[in-house]
Amino acid sequence: MPQKNSFPHSRVSGVLATILNNIGDCSKPVIKFISTLIPLWWSISGRYNFTNLARYTGYGEQALRNGYDRGFNFFTFNVKLLNMYCGAEKILAFDPSYISKSGKKTYGIGKYWSGVASRALKGLEIGCLACVDVAAQTALHLEAFQTPAVADRQGKSLVKFYAECILGHVQQLLTISKYLVVDGYFMKKEFILPMLAAGLHVITKMRPDANLHYPVRKEDQPKGRGRRKVKGDKVNLKKIDKRRWVLITKEQDYSVYTTIVYCVVLKRLVRVVYLLHHRNGKYDLFLCTDTELPGEKILHYYRMRFQIEFLLRDAKQHSGLEDCQARSKNKLRFHFNMSLSSVSVAKAVFHLSLPEESRGAFSLQSVKRLYHNKLLTEIIFDNLAIELNSPKIIRLYNQCLWFGNLAA
């Protein structure tokens, strides 16, 4: 969270200027618009719609609508941001998220699965692609893709649509990480095989009744002419043959095993991690298409996937992800990406820029309170023509900035 000994506004401006000036197709009006909008995103109170945004900035409602419609290359912006602040060990994560929205004419309106309600609800859906810094245990946004309505998908399944969105950036994604972590919904060959063909390895959760076979031993291959066997004995997941599995962790509540098996759905060898819960005998099964990745890494990377949920939570609770007033495709996409990117910039500048031993917990609410206080303080000081030219005035100014600061 922000440190009281220094206000990092100049650092935020410097980071935004550095990134925006290095994006090749970014015009001066766009640079000014984004540089204004991100700090504004942390300053306002109320809903993040055009009417309320216009109250806090020099841009009118129509100017804001035009800026949204013009669009922005958020993916390149966020890649440059994470290259500045993230460590060497990173993974990619992808997760769809339900967005509450009413109306009949909004692009993409339909029924989508809501994890909170545990049923399909009318609204919108976005697919959030993020990068997780494994050492810092936090996720930074890359890009959000809005799911089109059934009539606009041209017969494509949701899984195929998600795969195409991710593969559209595959060359840049491979420079970040070769591991993509997704939940069990994506344990489908229509999703995994295209990722493998593009060079991305997938880590996901499998069904408890997955069809797996042990690799064929050399002595079991038929002698003479004929087709070679591609799979050996079927794996009994309810009672695994521990002679063929490697124990990697044993705790009081659970044990973790790993081995290489043949996956019938993918028609290839994969590495599987078997997490056995001692209390009730139930188990969880995790798959990685990279057979060389250690089992403990697979389990750790899958657990890190949950960081994308915190990114989405912060955007919904504090950054107006569900507040967009627009109905067109371009404006909705801009709003979703602006909301999530503002969370990432705050995380990078106020959290990841600090030494690891002094980071503590990240609080977006603290950042918002700090910037809202700054907005009000500067309005009062400007109207009273008070200049920061004495230690007493500077001390009063800083007290106003940090008034009501939250402890993380």
Side-chain angles (χ1 to χ4, degrees), residues 196-244:
L196 282 171
L200 285 171
H201 285 290
V202 177
I203 298 173
T204 186
K205 190 175 183 179
M206 304 185 75
R207 290 167 54 106
D209 60 347
N211 190 1
L212 303 174
H213 291 254
Y214 291 110
V216 184
R217 292 177 293 193
K218 188 175 181 181
E219 59 270 22
D220 293 335
Q221 288 287 5
K223 294 180 174 57
R225 299 171 64 184
R227 183 174 181 268
R228 302 290 93 182
K229 282 186 177 182
V230 295
K231 57 184 180 181
D233 299 333
K234 185 176 175 64
V235 180
N236 181 5
L237 293 170
K238 293 183 179 179
K239 189 176 181 181
I240 61 172
D241 184 355
K242 294 180 181 178
R243 296 171 299 177
R244 301 191 181 191

Side-chain angles (χ1 to χ4, degrees), residues 137-239:
Q137 298 186 14
T138 192
L140 296 184
H141 177 61
L142 285 171
E143 188 163 12
F145 312 97
Q146 187 184 348
T147 305
V150 176
D152 298 323
R153 285 183 213 151
Q154 301 176 343
K156 295 176 186 174
S157 66
L158 273 178
V159 171
K160 188 173 182 180
F161 170 77
Y162 295 143
E164 289 181 354
C165 289
I166 296 170
L167 293 175
H169 296 298
V170 69
Q171 294 304 319
Q172 287 174 286
L173 293 176
L174 285 170
T175 64
I176 300 169
S177 175
K178 65 178 181 179
Y179 297 110
L180 173 66
V181 188
V182 290
D183 65 18
Y185 173 78
F186 294 93
M187 180 53 216
K188 297 176 174 65
K189 63 181 180 181
E190 293 84 1
F191 181 85
I192 295 177
L193 294 182
M195 297 299 157
L196 282 171
L200 285 171
H201 285 290
V202 177
I203 298 173
T204 186
K205 190 175 183 179
M206 304 185 75
R207 290 167 54 106
D209 60 347
N211 190 1
L212 303 174
H213 291 254
Y214 291 110
V216 184
R217 292 177 293 193
K218 188 175 181 181
E219 59 270 22
D220 293 335
Q221 288 287 5
K223 294 180 174 57
R225 299 171 64 184
R227 183 174 181 268
R228 302 290 93 182
K229 282 186 177 182
V230 295
K231 57 184 180 181
D233 299 333
K234 185 176 175 64
V235 180
N236 181 5
L237 293 170
K238 293 183 179 179
K239 189 176 181 181

Side-chain angles (χ1 to χ4, degrees), residues 149-403:
V150 176
D152 298 323
R153 285 183 213 151
Q154 301 176 343
K156 295 176 186 174
S157 66
L158 273 178
V159 171
K160 188 173 182 180
F161 170 77
Y162 295 143
E164 289 181 354
C165 289
I166 296 170
L167 293 175
H169 296 298
V170 69
Q171 294 304 319
Q172 287 174 286
L173 293 176
L174 285 170
T175 64
I176 300 169
S177 175
K178 65 178 181 179
Y179 297 110
L180 173 66
V181 188
V182 290
D183 65 18
Y185 173 78
F186 294 93
M187 180 53 216
K188 297 176 174 65
K189 63 181 180 181
E190 293 84 1
F191 181 85
I192 295 177
L193 294 182
M195 297 299 157
L196 282 171
L200 285 171
H201 285 290
V202 177
I203 298 173
T204 186
K205 190 175 183 179
M206 304 185 75
R207 290 167 54 106
D209 60 347
N211 190 1
L212 303 174
H213 291 254
Y214 291 110
V216 184
R217 292 177 293 193
K218 188 175 181 181
E219 59 270 22
D220 293 335
Q221 288 287 5
K223 294 180 174 57
R225 299 171 64 184
R227 183 174 181 268
R228 302 290 93 182
K229 282 186 177 182
V230 295
K231 57 184 180 181
D233 299 333
K234 185 176 175 64
V235 180
N236 181 5
L237 293 170
K238 293 183 179 179
K239 189 176 181 181
I240 61 172
D241 184 355
K242 294 180 181 178
R243 296 171 299 177
R244 301 191 181 191
W245 294 74
V246 177
L247 177 66
I248 55 177
T249 304
K250 187 169 185 179
E251 302 290 343
Q252 183 177 354
D253 297 327
Y254 63 89
S255 296
V256 182
Y257 301 85
T258 185
T259 193
I260 295 174
V261 296
Y262 180 85
C263 179
V264 174
V265 172
L266 302 179
K267 294 182 171 56
R268 60 181 292 122
L269 292 174
V270 296
R271 180 167 289 280
V272 170
V273 174
Y274 184 88
L275 177 62
L276 177 65
H277 302 279
H278 296 159
R279 186 179 63 179
N280 52 22
K282 293 184 178 180
Y283 58 89
D284 295 309
L285 205 59
F286 305 94
L287 171 145
C288 179
T289 54
D290 183 5
T291 57
E292 300 299 320
L293 188 67
E296 55 269 26
K297 283 281 188 183
I298 296 171
L299 188 59
H300 183 54
Y301 285 172
Y302 188 82
R303 287 170 172 168
M304 284 292 101
R305 184 199 71 84
F306 199 77
Q307 292 299 321
I308 198 174
E309 303 290 352
F310 296 129
L311 175 66
L312 289 163
R313 178 205 63 186
D314 284 345
K316 288 183 178 182
Q317 291 183 355
H318 304 300
S319 193
L321 184 63
E322 298 183 300
D323 288 354
C324 188
Q325 197 175 12
R327 297 182 297 180
S328 70
K329 179 181 179 180
N330 289 346
K331 293 172 186 174
L332 286 167
R333 184 168 185 170
F334 183 96
H335 179 89
F336 296 144
N337 281 287
M338 173 57 72
S339 175
L340 288 158
S341 297
S342 70
V343 179
S344 290
V345 174
K347 269 188 186 180
V349 177
F350 292 91
H351 182 66
L352 294 179
S353 64
L354 301 175
E356 188 175 350
E357 61 275 6
S358 61
R359 279 178 190 166
F362 171 72
S363 171
L364 184 59
Q365 183 64 20
S366 289
V367 176
K368 289 191 62 178
R369 180 159 298 186
L370 174 63
Y371 267 79
H372 187 68
N373 288 349
K374 176 180 180 293
L375 180 67
L376 296 179
T377 301
E378 291 184 347
I379 290 173
I380 294 170
F381 274 55
D382 288 345
N383 279 277
L384 295 177
I386 300 175
E387 297 184 3
L388 300 178
N389 54 7
S390 72
K392 185 176 180 180
I393 297 298
I394 293 173
R395 186 169 63 251
L396 176 61
Y397 178 84
N398 287 328
Q399 285 177 356
C400 294
L401 289 185
W402 296 99
F403 182 76

